[in-house]
Amino acid sequence: MRAAAGPRGTAIVAVIAVVGALAAGPADAKTASQPSLVVWSGHLGAETTMHGVVLKPNGQGTIVAVSVANRDRATPTTVGPFRPNASALAQIRAAAKAALTAPRVTLGPAGPSAAYASATIQRGAAKRVLVAVTTAPPQLATLITALNRALPATAQLVQPPGPLGAVGLTPRSDPFAGVLIQHSQGTAPCVPGDAATSVAQPISLKDAAGDGLVTLTAKGGFGTDDVAVDAHWAPLADKSPVVLRMNFEITPPDGLSPTDQARVVNGIKSSVESRLGGLKASDGTPLTVQLNVRQRDPGQPPSSCFHEITVNQDVNPDVTSAINTKLNMTGPFQPDPLPGYGNWSTLGTSWQTGGGFSDRAANIWTHEALHFAGLDEAYHPAFQVDDVIKNFPQDARFQNKDDVLAWAAQEEAFAGLDVNSGRFRLPSDPGHEHDYMGRCPDTPPCHVDQAAVDQLVAAGRDNLEITGSPGDLLLNKDPTEQSLGVGTTFRLLVHRGTPAHVDGLVAYCIDADRHIPEAGGLFDVLGRAGDQGDPGMSALQAVLDEIAREQTAPLATVEGGQFAVWRVTDNETAGDDIGPIRSILDAAHIDVSATFATPHYNDPNAAGAQTGSVSSTAVLPTATLVVPPGPAPAPAPARLEALHVQQLAAGRRLLSVQITDTASEAATLTLQRGTRRHGHTSYRRIRRYQAVALHAGLNILSLATPKLTPGAYRVVAAAASATRTASLTIRR
Ligand SMILES: [Zn+2]
């Protein structure tokens, strides 16, 4: 028994369960020494197609897939034949033979949207099943590469990345350690410390410094990401607002005029923000929803740390989707460096001829946006015959309409009715008829479910979002060394109890005549150059704002940026005619004939041992915190929150068990069988499993069971914090 993958781990287990159905046929004598194989790959989560390939020992094969509609049940369909040429076949076979000795299970750090691959390889009597989540062993990676060379573009297998180091990402001691995985589906990941969706209490870099929450350390240079930032969480004043921020990069429909493209992008921002305005938790804490929206030119690569949204003009809302990375709403919110993506619709073109976007379109956008905040659907499948509506059973595993009709035919509620005349329905969950996450776009007015607001605010109270802005000045404690000006928008999310460290913050030297900052030296935060009440400092603010605008990636250095800064801080004129420098100065409206008398500050907190907040002449007191920062608080107590169980496929001796806990603790699982007597069901234990170590968040386990005959069962999870029970009915 082993915890597998992240929130989307269920599908993989189901996929492995169907592999047997596709196993290659018996080998003839000539090819008996050649391997047969079945390889599957995809992303954890039910929203993308899984691709697979079956290869027989004779070199004949089949390309297979599991479409999104079939992901729940993992039912494969045949896409077409797979006939690699001789040299490709030789490479595939060599790789398959080598993979017979690869580790059976390779689990990388679990993360949403993680890639995985599985392979069943048989050669004579030797058989090996490999499963890799997030990270693949080299033998499996080589096999996938060999297969991809021979597969058409539409059937390429997903290659889980190698160990983190191999893709140039180093695990760090911050909330992102463990979830840095290759980006997928046309999105670009966030730098450590940032997330495309965050729910947090905001605090400026200056206030965080004043409250002793950050330490800014010189890395030994200037003009690039030369400041290391360490930070920790502390509680802010009661009822400080919580901000839900979501970054959306929107690609408007093809063929629109630039004006109409901008109307789409701005229309989404304003209509969603206005619908999500004025939210308050039950205790009165405001929840502010900010859409940080940017327009994407399809010719440009995706921006780092933005959810990618493509907008179409289809009149049918069914083409709308949101593939979001899933926030854990029951446990601590952990920022996710992987943005999501989606397809949204304007629901036709009538908005172009007047009246703006329809309420319905805006309500659906709001529904989709809330998915990116981690909210789930609040509606469910049901079947209606005449006036009778019956929800699908919780553990329904219908594959097609015949399955539904077979179930409906034996439902008492439909007795005497012609189930063949029935219709599939998606009603709102009870009490969610006007919830954006229910079917509200069909039944306006819509509102946000109060429980969801409370959950978001509770999650946000455990996070700080520290923001450094272009123009923030960092004074070097050593007066002989350079102070720096921030040339980027810097975000660092800090979770309760988890100190963060990032390398780093992009800043430019503002004292050309001083020494380069020595590594290990500390800075204090003066705040915005533009707030210093000095013309030279205002010019510096304009230059740093322009540098930040021209930055192409979060840690990138802007060409010419350092000389443009020195033009206004130190009257450095040598670059006045050099293209990139001049273009920054022109865009910042700097008069290159001017001479500046910009001040060079000495840090008033030079003697202070920590990073603090300063004015140009004094150390500023702390202001924001309710309680002074002390040692990191003890981790939240464990609480076993939820247990779900389902049989992976009828007749198979495997259960998928999902357990949510708020922290780490051990749990013991038992499987019980019910006996019904005199209208009462009593349970008796039929299997007890080895204790399992739960981690905070969603744990997905698979349990082997004896053959289960039809009847009532339950799984009991017992931990120190609580005991939870989940029922299961085995049919047929
Ligand atoms: Zn939805």
Side-chain angles (χ1 to χ4, degrees):
M1 195 161 46
R2 173 81 172 84
R8 296 173 164 188
T10 321
I12 185 177
V13 192
V15 172
I16 295 160
V18 300
V19 162
L22 286 166
D28 61 36
K30 197 171 137 200
T31 57
S33 67
Q34 296 300 345
S36 68
L37 53 116
V38 180
V39 177
W40 281 102
S41 76
H43 293 275
L44 301 182
E47 302 89 348
T48 53
T49 298
M50 294 189 301
H51 294 287
V53 62
V54 181
L55 186 67
K56 293 183 191 174
N58 65 7
Q60 302 289 306
T62 311
I63 298 169
V64 287
V66 176
S67 69
V68 174
N70 287 332
R71 285 276 309 238
D72 258 13
R73 189 69 187 238
T75 313
T77 52
T78 299
V79 175
F82 175 54
R83 294 200 187 88
N85 66 30
S87 94
L89 183 62
Q91 284 183 23
I92 293 166
R93 284 171 166 169
K97 287 173 197 169
L100 280 167
T101 58
R104 288 190 169 84
V105 178
T106 312
L107 293 178
S113 301
Y116 78 89
S118 70
T120 306
I121 303 160
Q122 182 141 23
R123 185 189 181 207
K127 181 177 176 181
R128 195 129 179 129
V129 178
L130 311 178
V131 178
V133 178
T134 306
T135 180
Q139 299 95 325
L140 182 54
T142 305
L143 175 59
I144 290 174
T145 302
L147 286 165
N148 277 345
R149 280 197 195 110
L151 284 165
T154 51
Q156 291 281 300
L157 302 170
V158 173
Q159 178 81 269
L164 291 175
V167 289
L169 297 167
T170 324
R172 299 167 189 269
S173 60
D174 64 30
F176 295 87
V179 283
L180 284 168
I181 49 182
Q182 202 171 46
H183 68 86
S184 61
Q185 301 291 347
T187 65
C190 307
V191 293
D194 201 358
T197 292
S198 75
V199 57
Q201 292 181 310
I203 185 170
S204 69
L205 183 65
K206 182 173 171 71
D207 283 343
D211 288 329
L213 301 180
V214 294
T215 304
L216 303 177
T217 308
K219 290 167 65 182
F222 62 85
T224 179
D225 60 332
D226 275 320
V227 180
V229 184
D230 288 271
H232 64 268
W233 181 91
L236 296 193
D238 207 20
K239 311 251 167 87
S240 287
V242 168
V243 175
L244 168 62
R245 172 185 54 78
M246 293 177 275
N247 296 347
F248 288 112
E249 187 163 66
I250 298 173
T251 307
D254 278 347
L256 292 185
S257 68
T259 310
D260 278 349
Q261 291 195 336
R263 281 175 71 198
V264 169
V265 174
N266 297 331
I268 289 175
K269 175 179 166 70
S270 62
S271 53
V272 173
E273 279 186 344
S274 69
R275 277 165 178 72
L276 299 179
L279 298 176
K280 276 193 166 67
S282 300
D283 70 356
T285 305
L287 177 68
T288 305
V289 180
Q290 290 175 354
L291 267 62
N292 182 19
V293 162
R294 178 184 288 204
Q295 183 175 328
R296 177 164 169 207
D297 171 350
Q300 295 297 311
S303 296
S304 164
C305 213
F306 276 74
H307 301 299
E308 293 296 331
I309 306 298
T310 307
V311 181
N312 62 65
Q313 302 248 63
D314 206 300
V315 291
N316 179 2
D318 292 349
V319 299
T320 293
S321 66
I323 312 300
N324 57 310
T325 51
K326 189 83 173 60
L327 309 188
N328 181 352
M329 294 286 286
T330 52
F333 167 78
Q334 291 287 343
D336 186 338
L338 278 180
Y341 57 95
N343 272 295
W344 297 1
S345 175
T346 59
L347 301 187
T349 58
S350 62
W351 64 276
Q352 284 173 265
T353 50
F357 299 101
S358 67
D359 253 10
R360 182 169 161 75
N363 288 341
I364 294 175
W365 294 340
T366 305
H367 170 104
E368 304 304 330
L370 287 170
H371 275 315
F372 288 89
L375 271 56
D376 266 331
E377 314 290 10
Y379 57 84
H380 58 273
F383 196 66
Q384 177 171 11
V385 186
D386 292 350
D387 290 337
V388 181
I389 298 183
K390 182 83 187 156
N391 295 342
F392 281 19
Q394 285 277 312
D395 53 355
R397 289 273 150 193
F398 301 142
Q399 277 198 70
N400 51 43
K401 194 171 180 193
D402 290 344
D403 287 358
V404 177
L405 293 178
W407 158 76
Q410 32 171 345
E411 271 301 318
E412 266 175 50
F414 298 136
L417 301 177
D418 174 17
V419 296
N420 293 304
S421 70
R423 290 185 299 149
F424 180 69
R425 299 291 304 273
L426 285 171
S428 297
D429 294 346
H432 293 266
E433 292 77 8
H434 293 285
D435 180 348
Y436 281 110
M437 302 318 287
R439 301 300 299 176
C440 185
D442 301 329
T443 56
C446 306
H447 61 240
V448 185
D449 181 45
Q450 187 59 43
V453 176
D454 288 348
Q455 278 184 311
L456 282 165
V457 166
R461 280 213 194 90
D462 284 343
N463 298 300
L464 291 179
E465 182 163 78
I466 299 172
T467 304
S469 302
D472 277 348
L473 302 185
L474 313 180
L475 300 192
N476 199 315
K477 285 185 186 290
D478 184 335
T480 69
E481 293 184 4
Q482 297 158 352
S483 293
L484 305 179
V486 174
T488 186
T489 297
F490 169 83
R491 284 202 186 94
L492 178 58
L493 283 157
V494 189
H495 183 63
R496 178 199 285 260
T498 312
H501 170 90
V502 290
D503 292 313
L505 169 60
V506 176
Y508 296 82
C509 162
I510 57 171
D511 303 299
D513 288 341
R514 297 185 185 179
H515 298 300
I516 296 172
E518 197 157 327
L522 294 184
F523 296 97
D524 290 291
V525 183
L526 173 65
R528 285 183 82 244
D531 292 344
Q532 303 309 312
D534 175 272
M537 281 289 156
S538 296
L540 175 59
Q541 181 69 49
V543 169
L544 288 169
D545 281 339
E546 177 56 27
I547 288 171
R549 265 193 292 277
E550 293 189 14
Q551 196 183 28
T552 52
L555 297 180
T557 304
V558 173
E559 190 187 358
Q562 183 57 72
F563 275 90
V565 168
W566 281 335
R567 177 65 188 82
V568 295
T569 57
D570 293 83
N571 292 308
E572 174 60 69
T573 56
D576 284 359
D577 294 322
I578 297 175
I581 302 171
R582 182 59 184 262
S583 74
I584 293 170
L585 294 171
D586 287 347
H589 304 294
I590 302 302
D591 174 3
V592 292
S593 68
T595 301
F596 293 93
T598 309
H600 292 267
Y601 300 116
N602 288 337
D603 185 353
N605 193 31
Q610 311 285 333
T611 291
S613 169
V614 296
S615 71
S616 59
T617 55
V619 182
L620 300 178
T622 65
T624 315
L625 293 185
V626 163
V627 291
R639 174 85 191 145
L640 188 59
E641 296 269 0
L643 172 68
H644 296 287
V645 63
Q646 67 203 80
Q647 194 178 33
L648 285 173
R652 298 189 192 279
R653 300 173 181 190
L654 206 54
L655 299 180
S656 170
V657 176
Q658 297 161 41
I659 310 177
T660 307
D661 205 311
T662 58
S664 305
E665 64 176 329
T668 306
L669 297 171
T670 53
L671 175 64
Q672 302 178 343
R673 155 127 223 198
T675 313
R676 194 160 173 84
R677 193 173 293 161
H678 311 306
H680 172 79
T681 307
S682 61
Y683 288 88
R684 124 189 111 74
R685 190 170 82 201
I686 56 173
R687 185 162 289 190
R688 186 170 196 275
Y689 298 88
Q690 228 176 354
V692 58
L694 301 177
H695 57 78
L698 180 63
N699 298 260
I700 298 180
L701 319 168
S702 53
L703 296 185
T705 69
K707 182 152 178 60
L708 301 180
T709 52
Y713 295 83
R714 66 186 193 187
V715 170
V716 179
S721 69
T723 296
R724 300 266 167 201
T725 302
S727 303
L728 173 76
T729 305
I730 303 292
R731 295 169 200 281
R732 265 171 284 182

